[in-house]
Structure formats: C-alpha cells, structure tokens
Amino acid sequence: MKYKILICLLFLNIALYAQTTVKGIIKDTETKKPIEYVMVIGNISGKSTVTNSEGRFQFNMPQQDTKLIIKHLDYFSREIAVSDSKSLTIEIQPSTESLEEIVIFKTSIKEEIEKAIKTSQQRFAKNLKLNTYYRELLYINGTMYQYEDAEIDYYLQSINKSNVVVNESRSVKFKNDEAKKFDSLTRVNYYWGDLKERVSREFDFNLVKSIITNKELDLYVTQKTTADAVALNVLHFNPIDKAKKTMMSGTVIYGADDYLIREIKANIDPNFVANSEYLQQNNHRFKRSFYNRTTIFNLYKDKYALTYTSYRIFGVSEVVNQLTKVGGFVELLVDSVEENPTQPKAEKFYTNEKLTPLGKNYKTKYWEKFNVVPLTYKEEQMLKQINN
C-alpha cells in the first residue's frame, strides 16, 4: 500500500509541473506592427505573462490550460488554441472606439481617483503570495554593467508590508572595458532601491496619489469603451504651461463602473525635460533624462491582481567632479497569486536590498521554465555570456 501511495504521489507531482513552452509575437492586424504590454493568460490556470517592446512573449503553459487568452485594453481579446506549433504569430484587431468627451463628475477628480484607489485596494486579498519573476539591468556609460534576476515569492501581509523569499537568483557584473574603467574610478555604488518594496509600492498606489495632489499637473478624465464592451475612465495628467518642477505626463485607466485600476503609465513629457534637476540620492546626485513606468493590473475570472510593473530610467549621476551616465530597467512579472498561503519561517525571508550578496544562486535555469518577459534581441545577445 505504501508503494502504491508513493507512486500516485510521484505521478501527481509530474502532472502538476508538466508544461509546454509557447513563444510568439503579437501584432496589430492593420499596421502589422508588434504590440507591447499585451497580456497572455492561461485559460484555466490564470498564469500570465506580458509582451516586450518587440511584441514577443514566452509562456510556460501548464498542462491544464488548453488555450491562451490575449488581452489588451485597446484591442479585441482573443482565445488561441495551442496546437503542436510552439511558435506563434498572433494578430489582434484594434478597437475602433475613440475617446469620448471629457467626463464631468459630481465630485472632484481627486475624490474620484481616491475612490478608485480605495476600491482597488479593497479587492486585493489581505494575505497573498505572489509568485514573481524579478529582473534588473544596469547600464554604465552606455554599456551593460550589472544584471540580476530571481524567482521570488512576495508575501503581502498588508498594503504597506511585504516579505520576500528568494528561491533562486543570478547576480552578475560584466567584465567589459567600460565596467573595469568605472570600477577603478567610482566613488559610489548604484542600485535600483529595495527589491522588497516593489510589490507593496504598487499595491499602495503611491504614484497615483502623488499625481492627484500635484498642483503643477493638469488633470482631466475621458471615457472609452473597450472592444470587449467594458467602459473605462482614463485619467490624463500633464504639466501645466507654467510648471517649474513637474515634468511627468501619462494616464491612469480604471473601470467606469467597478472603479478598479487597470493600468498606470508615466513618462517624462518631452516639452518639460528642462524641469529635470539634480536630486540628492544618498552620496550622489542624479538627474533624469528619460523615465518610463508602466504598471498593469489584471481582472480575470473575477480575480483582481497585480500582473506586471516596469521602470526604465536613464540620466546623469554626479559624484564630486565625476559624471556618469547611468540607467537601465527594473521589471517584475507576477506569474500567479495564492491566497492565504502558509507563512514560511522568519529566517527564510530575505533581508538585503539587492540580490548581489547571493551571487549565482541557482540550481536550474529558472528563467527558462518560469514565466518571464523576453529581453530585446540586443539584450539577449549581450546576456548570453552569463548564461553558461
């Protein structure tokens, strides 16, 4: 009897982890151009990934899934049955609905967005485990300098608090001439902030809160209906004509009926780049010349969750008389979400701000079996030297 139970458990374990890797590119039916930030979702598992700037995706499809759900707020959704072909070219039809007139509310825009924030936060389960792929890339003077990624479990205990368990990770510094030169001259170490705070910051909607309280931003809301007949409100924010410090513009999209925030995008407005100033950051000053931030929340089968967030930043750092061009990106992709997980022991939680101390801390090539957003072809070629 013991042997029979053991064999059953073994086959169950194999079934749970059996999956098919599907790669592809998603394009606009009319323009044939690739589409960024398209969600690709397993129809049963709810696992997801997102296309990169080249429209490419990689999805590790669990055995229980029979179709891929393709979703984007500006396009008709599609269901794709995965055949023997593991490489797909998918075209999706753009919505023809244009933005309507500016929406006039009975309350202020600030109160409306505060309602969206509160409603969205209330839909999050209070005790979550987010199975996540985390990645960051740092460029120094235009050359790849350091790369780190990890398979991380984020345990969200409240809106403002999360702990992390780093299952596997890589941290590699490149050995090119520019990196060696920088290491010999540098007076400062650059890093992307505390990786443990990435999820809680998104659940707190701190960027949205800062937008609606900034007096140098012009705010207005329009409404559109998606191709799938969902009414969405779009908050537009842009610097006022006489803005002296503000330089960000973008959109916050939320449901006109359910008030759930779907997407947040922010960029440096090209007309206000001159407002960028050196800001003190620890022991150096940094001035941004490029900034792009995108966060996507998914509502699928009545489950509302964070799916993806990315930061892309470039600028100039000044330390004493040393000027350095610094930049790169941070990406966080939530593969799946578990409610009310078993809490690990406190000693398993990772306490450092960066992955660097762990070095090459992996036993499997988790970036091949875990859902990730593909790098651009150029970045993939540069990264091959550390994948051996």
Side-chain angles (χ1 to χ4, degrees):
M1 177 63 71
K2 290 183 180 179
Y3 290 112
K4 290 181 179 179
I5 293 173
L6 184 62
I7 292 170
C8 288
L9 288 174
L10 178 61
F11 279 109
L12 176 63
N13 191 52
I14 292 171
L16 286 172
Y17 286 94
Q19 61 182 17
T20 300
T21 299
V22 181
K23 297 182 179 181
I25 183 169
I26 300 178
K27 297 181 179 181
D28 185 299
T29 303
E30 297 176 0
T31 66
K32 307 302 179 183
K33 291 183 178 180
I35 311 169
E36 188 175 16
Y37 303 133
V38 180
M39 283 187 287
V40 180
I41 308 166
N43 67 319
I44 305 298
S45 68
K47 288 179 176 289
S48 62
T49 189
V50 175
T51 58
N52 68 4
S53 60
E54 298 167 331
R56 294 189 297 122
F57 71 90
Q58 173 183 313
F59 184 74
N60 290 311
M61 193 169 182
Q63 192 176 51
Q64 72 222 65
D65 290 330
T66 57
K67 296 179 181 179
L68 296 179
I69 310 298
I70 312 299
K71 290 180 61 177
H72 191 288
L73 294 180
D74 296 327
Y75 291 81
F76 285 97
S77 296
R78 283 193 64 182
E79 290 190 7
I80 304 294
V82 178
S83 61
D84 293 336
S85 175
K86 305 303 184 294
S87 181
L88 305 173
T89 298
I90 301 169
E91 293 187 355
I92 53 178
Q93 180 71 36
S95 168
T96 57
E97 291 287 340
S98 60
L99 290 177
E100 299 175 1
E101 296 296 322
I102 294 175
V103 180
I104 305 298
F105 299 110
K106 293 181 180 179
T107 59
S108 69
I109 289 179
K110 181 175 182 292
E111 289 175 306
E112 283 291 312
I113 302 304
E114 286 176 340
K115 179 180 178 180
I117 292 172
K118 184 177 179 180
T119 303
S120 299
Q121 290 179 335
Q122 288 174 340
R123 282 293 298 271
F124 296 134
K126 295 297 184 290
N127 185 11
L128 294 177
K129 174 187 174 185
L130 287 79
N131 305 304
T132 305
Y133 177 75
Y134 179 88
R135 171 163 63 201
E136 58 182 62
L137 175 61
L138 180 65
Y139 284 90
I140 297 291
N141 293 325
T143 303
M144 197 177 275
Y145 178 74
Q146 189 171 30
Y147 183 89
E148 298 189 342
D149 66 3
E151 182 186 340
I152 294 178
D153 293 332
Y154 279 83
Y155 289 83
L156 191 77
Q157 298 173 315
S158 67
I159 296 300
N160 299 310
K161 175 66 176 175
S162 63
N163 290 313
V164 305
V165 173
V166 179
N167 298 314
E168 297 189 78
S169 63
R170 293 181 293 179
S171 179
V172 181
K173 185 182 290 185
F174 288 83
K175 299 178 180 179
N176 51 62
D177 292 339
E178 192 62 44
K180 292 177 182 177
K181 178 182 176 182
F182 174 76
D183 286 337
S184 67
L185 299 174
T186 185
R187 297 172 180 265
V188 64
N189 291 321
Y190 299 106
Y191 64 99
W192 281 107
D194 194 336
L195 66 89
K196 302 188 299 295
E197 298 176 353
R198 292 294 173 197
V199 162
S200 55
R201 283 182 180 177
E202 300 305 329
F203 279 70
D204 190 43
F205 293 107
N206 59 353
L207 174 61
V208 182
K209 291 175 181 176
S210 68
I211 290 167
I212 59 177
T213 56
N214 189 333
K215 295 182 179 180
E216 286 197 339
L217 284 175
D218 178 33
L219 307 178
Y220 66 97
V221 176
T222 58
Q223 189 175 93
K224 69 175 181 178
T225 302
T226 70
D228 301 319
V230 177
L232 298 175
N233 285 343
V234 183
L235 169 69
H236 304 259
F237 58 94
N238 303 281
I240 61 176
D241 291 339
K242 296 182 180 180
K244 296 181 179 180
K245 294 183 178 180
T246 300
M247 55 181 176
M248 305 304 297
S249 64
T251 55
V252 179
I253 301 177
Y254 64 98
D257 298 318
D258 61 25
Y259 275 82
L260 295 178
I261 295 175
R262 306 297 209 279
E263 181 182 275
I264 305 165
K265 288 189 175 182
N267 302 276
I268 292 181
D269 191 306
N271 297 319
F272 291 87
V273 176
N275 284 351
S276 183
E277 298 177 342
Y278 277 104
L279 301 175
Q280 191 68 36
Q281 296 185 351
N282 297 324
N283 52 357
H284 71 107
R285 300 197 308 155
F286 181 73
K287 182 169 69 173
R288 292 176 294 180
S289 58
F290 176 86
Y291 179 91
N292 174 282
R293 177 173 170 177
T294 299
T295 301
I296 299 172
F297 295 88
N298 184 26
L299 180 62
Y300 182 66
K301 292 185 177 180
D302 203 39
K303 295 287 186 180
Y304 178 64
L306 172 68
T307 293
Y308 174 78
T309 187
S310 73
Y311 300 72
R312 291 183 178 270
I313 304 172
F314 288 88
V316 177
S317 171
E318 180 183 40
V319 183
V320 190
N321 293 322
Q322 179 184 342
L323 289 177
T324 306
K325 294 180 181 178
V326 183
F329 64 80
V330 173
E331 283 186 317
L332 185 150
L333 174 71
V334 179
D335 175 76
S336 60
V337 178
E338 298 176 28
E339 295 185 21
N340 301 314
T342 302
Q343 291 288 325
K345 294 181 179 179
E347 58 264 27
K348 287 193 174 182
F349 290 134
Y350 190 65
T351 57
N352 288 297
E353 295 177 332
K354 280 180 63 65
L355 295 166
T356 310
L358 296 175
K360 290 187 177 181
N361 172 41
Y362 63 91
K363 296 180 180 179
T364 64
K365 291 186 176 181
Y366 59 91
W367 56 90
E368 293 180 355
K369 67 181 179 65
F370 203 70
N371 277 338
V372 305
V373 179
L375 292 165
T376 65
Y377 281 118
K378 180 180 179 181
E379 290 166 343
E380 284 179 349
Q381 293 302 312
M382 296 175 71
L383 203 59
K384 281 184 177 180
Q385 59 182 290
I386 71 167
N387 282 345
N388 298 327

